[in-house]
Amino acid sequence: MEDNKSSKGLKIALGVALVLFLATGFYTLNLYKTSSDTQKQLTEEKELVMNDLNAMAKQYDIAISENDIANANLVDARTRIQGLIDSLKISETNVKSLWRYKQQYTSLQKEMDVLLAQNDSLRVENSYLATSLDSTRVRLEERTMFTDSLLVQNTALADVVENASVLNTVGLKGFGVIERTSGKLIPTERARRSDKIRVCFTVAKNALVQTGEQELYVQVIDPKNNTLGLNEQVQFDDKTLNYSIISKFNYENESLNICEFVASKGDDKFDEGRYIVNVFNAKDLVSTSEFTLK
């Protein structure tokens, strides 16, 4: 009887132990499954945070690339995001760590909204400023072109006035003359009979020329290419002029007839041949003529 009771009690104890073993195994299996699911979920969450951070980094890259001069605040924020991405890659995947990264992401998201809004505002202002500068540059270029055009016109006008405001001569003639003791002059074409060469011309009226004392240089060149008369030199910039005589007169804005005399050297007679007569106003040749002595 007692053996039966002991056997029965042993069976009950074994049954209870089996139940406890099965319950423990089920609990352990269930706990493992829960832990695995949690780890998988944390990994997925980590990937989502990583994707959000990468997307944020790309937005900063775009904003920075749109500026010729990178905004220092954008560059600093982009650097901090990259640091957070690098840290997240090697971090442990647990609830505490992931929560901390999510908080940092949220803070960076708010900062990014402010920075990008400021950047957009600056970009609009810069665009307006660039447009304004372009418009100003166009106006300056137009003004410069207009000024250059006026300068060219004024320079051309000044050249015209300068060229026009000089004395000119007309009717230039040269010929040999015989000079009588009475002072009477007789024109001649004979070289050996000529005592002097007479040069006559008319100073043309020019209202642009100042009245008062004026002078012209007369040059007579003989058949041997010698300059007769004084044969002195005068320098004008890079030009040297040999002249026979300086014709000085008082100009009063009226046409004026002038005659000058050029003698041969010493007692020499004039050579036969062609003679050239030039009249210069300073270095500028204003009139030329020629004649022949036989």
Side-chain angles (χ1 to χ4, degrees):
M1 187 68 135
E2 289 182 0
D3 290 337
N4 288 336
K5 288 181 180 180
S6 295
S7 177
K8 186 176 181 182
L10 181 59
K11 288 180 179 179
I12 292 173
L14 289 173
V16 172
L18 180 60
V19 170
L20 290 174
F21 175 77
L22 291 174
T24 300
F26 177 77
Y27 174 76
T28 300
L29 181 63
N30 188 57
L31 181 62
Y32 173 79
K33 182 179 180 181
T34 301
S35 176
S36 179
D37 291 342
T38 301
Q39 187 65 33
K40 181 181 179 182
Q41 185 177 359
L42 287 174
T43 301
E44 292 175 351
E45 288 289 336
K46 180 178 179 179
E47 289 296 326
L48 290 175
V49 174
M50 183 70 74
N51 291 338
D52 289 340
L53 287 172
N54 283 322
M56 185 183 292
K58 288 181 180 179
Q59 285 183 276
Y60 273 113
D61 288 339
I62 293 172
I64 292 172
S65 67
E66 291 176 346
N67 289 272
D68 292 334
I69 300 176
N71 187 309
N73 292 331
L74 294 179
V75 174
D76 178 65
R78 175 63 176 83
T79 302
R80 284 187 281 115
I81 289 172
Q82 187 59 50
L84 193 60
I85 291 173
D86 294 339
S87 176
L88 181 58
K89 287 179 180 178
I90 62 175
S91 67
E92 295 181 4
T93 308
N94 56 58
V95 174
K96 183 178 180 180
S97 174
L98 191 58
W99 175 251
R100 179 167 58 83
Y101 281 106
K102 282 188 173 183
Q103 284 184 316
Q104 292 183 33
Y105 167 77
T106 301
S107 176
L108 287 172
Q109 179 67 49
K110 292 179 181 178
E111 180 183 4
M112 185 183 72
D113 292 340
V114 174
L115 289 177
L116 292 185
Q118 292 176 349
N119 185 65
D120 289 341
S121 177
L122 287 174
R123 191 147 46 85
V124 171
E125 291 178 6
N126 289 339
S127 177
Y128 174 77
L129 180 61
T131 302
S132 178
L133 288 175
D134 286 343
S135 177
T136 302
R137 186 173 65 252
V138 169
R139 289 198 297 271
L140 286 175
E141 289 175 353
E142 291 175 348
R143 179 62 60 86
T144 301
M145 291 175 61
F146 177 71
T147 302
D148 290 345
S149 176
L150 284 180
L151 182 60
V152 170
Q153 292 179 29
N154 289 337
T155 302
L157 180 59
D159 290 340
V160 170
V161 173
E162 182 180 359
N163 293 332
S165 60
V166 295
L167 289 175
N168 283 293
T169 62
V170 294
L172 175 63
K173 292 182 180 179
F175 49 91
V177 292
I178 301 171
E179 187 176 30
R180 300 297 187 190
T181 55
S182 62
K184 184 177 180 181
L185 300 173
I186 301 174
T188 180
E189 294 182 355
R190 297 295 178 181
R192 294 197 172 274
R193 296 195 61 189
S194 298
D195 296 314
K196 295 179 180 179
I197 290 177
R198 192 180 191 191
V199 177
C200 295
F201 54 86
T202 300
V203 177
K205 178 181 179 180
N206 189 339
L208 296 176
V209 178
Q210 268 189 322
T211 59
E213 292 293 325
Q214 300 286 349
E215 62 182 30
L216 297 172
Y217 293 89
V218 178
Q219 181 189 68
V220 180
I221 301 175
D222 70 5
K224 295 180 179 179
N225 206 33
N226 297 314
T227 299
L228 301 181
L230 296 175
N231 191 20
E232 293 183 353
Q233 290 185 341
V234 60
Q235 189 75 29
F236 298 104
D237 297 329
D238 58 343
K239 182 176 181 179
T240 300
L241 174 65
N242 284 67
Y243 62 88
S244 301
I245 190 172
I246 300 177
S247 179
K248 297 183 179 181
F249 52 91
N250 185 44
Y251 180 71
E252 297 180 347
N253 286 132
E254 296 292 340
S255 295
L256 182 64
N257 295 322
I258 293 178
C259 286
E260 301 287 357
F261 292 95
V262 176
S264 62
K265 291 183 179 181
D267 296 328
D268 293 342
K269 292 295 183 177
F270 292 103
D271 294 321
E272 295 180 2
R274 184 172 64 96
Y275 287 75
I276 298 175
V277 182
N278 296 318
V279 177
F280 290 87
N281 186 338
K283 66 178 181 179
D284 298 318
L285 178 65
V286 295
S287 188
T288 186
S289 180
E290 63 179 63
F291 64 96
T292 301
L293 292 180
K294 300 177 181 179

